[in-house]
Amino acid sequence: MPENERLASLVLAGSAAWLAWLGRGIWSSSGAGPDRIWSDFRDRYGIVWAERVREQFNRAAHHSGLRVTMGWGGLRTFDRTPLTDDERAASLDLMTALLMRFGPGD
């Protein structure tokens, strides 16, 4: 491999982590409550754990009588209306309980 190509590949590989870190600040969720907790968890633990927790959340919300579902982008109601304060609080409690096994929350 010529020296210029090797140098370019090292620079690109070295800058990838920094660019990802900067992108997280730009594209991360700016919301609060369950949506912020969800996006932080999803980004930290990846698709395998996120899908498992998302399915558990959706089952628990259904059994609790909540009219919410957790998607990859966050909470939403079945009819796409805004969440009430009670639904948001109940969803936050449910999300907090599900994520206890992953350590203390931020």
Side-chain angles (χ1 to χ4, degrees):
M1 180 183 290
E3 191 62 31
N4 288 341
E5 289 177 4
R6 181 177 177 177
L7 178 62
S9 65
L10 288 173
V11 168
L12 289 174
S15 62
W18 289 105
L19 291 172
W21 180 74
L22 288 172
R24 178 163 162 55
I26 294 169
W27 289 297
S28 67
S29 165
S30 61
D35 285 338
R36 180 58 179 225
I37 292 170
W38 169 245
S39 67
D40 288 346
F41 173 80
R42 181 195 69 200
D43 294 344
R44 184 175 297 137
Y45 286 94
I47 192 169
V48 174
W49 280 110
E51 281 300 304
R52 182 177 170 101
V53 169
R54 187 185 66 81
E55 289 172 2
Q56 290 176 344
F57 178 90
N58 288 338
R59 274 191 239 114
H62 175 76
H63 291 298
S64 297
L66 292 173
R67 61 180 192 101
V68 299
T69 183
M70 180 67 71
W72 191 252
L75 280 176
R76 62 181 180 261
T77 58
F78 295 130
D79 55 1
R80 307 284 186 181
T81 58
L83 291 172
T84 65
D85 289 339
D86 291 338
E87 289 170 332
R88 187 167 298 283
S91 298
L92 180 60
D93 291 343
L94 188 56
M95 180 63 66
T96 303
L98 285 171
L99 298 181
M100 284 174 109
R101 76 171 90 172
F102 295 95
D106 304 28

